[in-house]
Amino acid sequence: MVSHDCGRYAIAQRFWSYGTYAAGEAGRRDRGVEIVTRMSHQMIYLGHPQGALGLLGVAAKKATLPATRALVASQTGRVHAALGDEREADRYLGDADGLLADGLGDDVPEWVSYFDAAEHAGARAVSARDLAGLHHGRRVASGHLDDAARVDSTLVASRLNMLLEAARPYETAAVQDVRTRARDLATARPTTIAA
């Protein structure tokens, strides 16, 4: 995760690949599945949702624990939302809802214990945001830029550039103010995609 957070995406993918291999060698398929969901999250972030779906399709076939099956379903729904496919997003998010409602069991491994109803609710919220953005146009707000100004992060810089791109079609004075401020912040934090 540190490699991803500091913008070293290729290294993060390599480490995650080693992790899935090691999990397979140790006979811990579900641990490998959880690692693949992290890889898919990075694929979404880098703008490769189809690649993320491919990874999640493989993970879904290997997941055996209710927790990892729910995690994969939740993440798959999120990817479909990013692609604007509301029907498929609802189907997969609903599958995760059902698994969570049935209970994940008492023996949820520590490495996937972070995935619970709250984590899934976050995936639902991101999915709703993505679908709303695709259907109703993206909304930008200067209040969030205050938070961004206090954080020095490659991820924040990348998000600022995404905001600039999303705001491009809108020509109101309020959007122009946000765009100017976001551009100033992004310039102060250049985004580099490291190997």
Side-chain angles (χ1 to χ4, degrees):
M1 287 301 289
V2 172
S3 295
H4 170 73
D5 287 346
C6 69
R8 299 179 67 85
Y9 307 118
I11 290 173
Q13 286 288 330
R14 191 173 331 133
F15 286 149
W16 283 325
S17 294
Y18 295 153
T20 58
Y21 176 78
E25 287 294 303
R28 312 262 323 256
R29 287 174 45 168
D30 282 281
R31 181 59 174 117
V33 166
E34 190 273 338
I35 294 168
V36 169
T37 65
R38 293 175 185 266
M39 294 171 80
S40 74
H41 182 80
Q42 180 173 282
M43 295 295 283
I44 296 168
Y45 172 74
L46 293 175
H48 305 292
Q50 292 296 341
L53 279 180
L55 288 171
L56 290 166
V58 171
K61 293 175 184 171
K62 296 184 179 209
T64 60
L65 295 173
T68 52
R69 289 177 30 229
L71 173 61
V72 170
S74 182
Q75 183 75 351
T76 304
R78 183 176 172 205
V79 177
H80 281 292
L83 289 167
D85 189 340
E86 188 170 1
R87 188 177 63 79
E88 286 297 290
D90 285 343
R91 180 167 79 88
Y92 282 100
L93 293 169
D95 289 347
D97 288 339
L99 287 162
L100 285 162
D102 291 343
L104 301 182
D106 296 328
D107 58 346
V108 175
E110 181 181 327
W111 44 262
V112 74
S113 63
Y114 68 89
F115 183 77
D116 57 10
E119 185 77 12
H120 176 57
R124 273 199 165 280
V126 168
S127 298
R129 179 207 63 199
D130 288 349
L131 289 167
L134 290 168
H135 294 305
H136 304 296
R138 299 188 186 274
R139 296 180 184 194
V140 296
S142 61
H144 294 293
L145 294 174
D146 293 334
D147 294 331
R150 291 191 293 269
V151 180
D152 186 13
S153 162
T154 300
L155 292 175
V156 169
S158 177
R159 292 295 194 306
L160 287 168
N161 287 320
M162 289 171 61
L163 172 64
L164 288 168
E165 185 63 30
R168 183 177 299 185
Y170 304 100
E171 294 298 328
T172 67
V175 171
Q176 184 57 40
D177 289 343
V178 170
R179 192 173 17 238
T180 299
R181 185 147 181 243
R183 188 178 301 113
D184 291 345
L185 287 171
T187 301
R189 293 172 176 78
T191 301
T192 55
I193 305 291

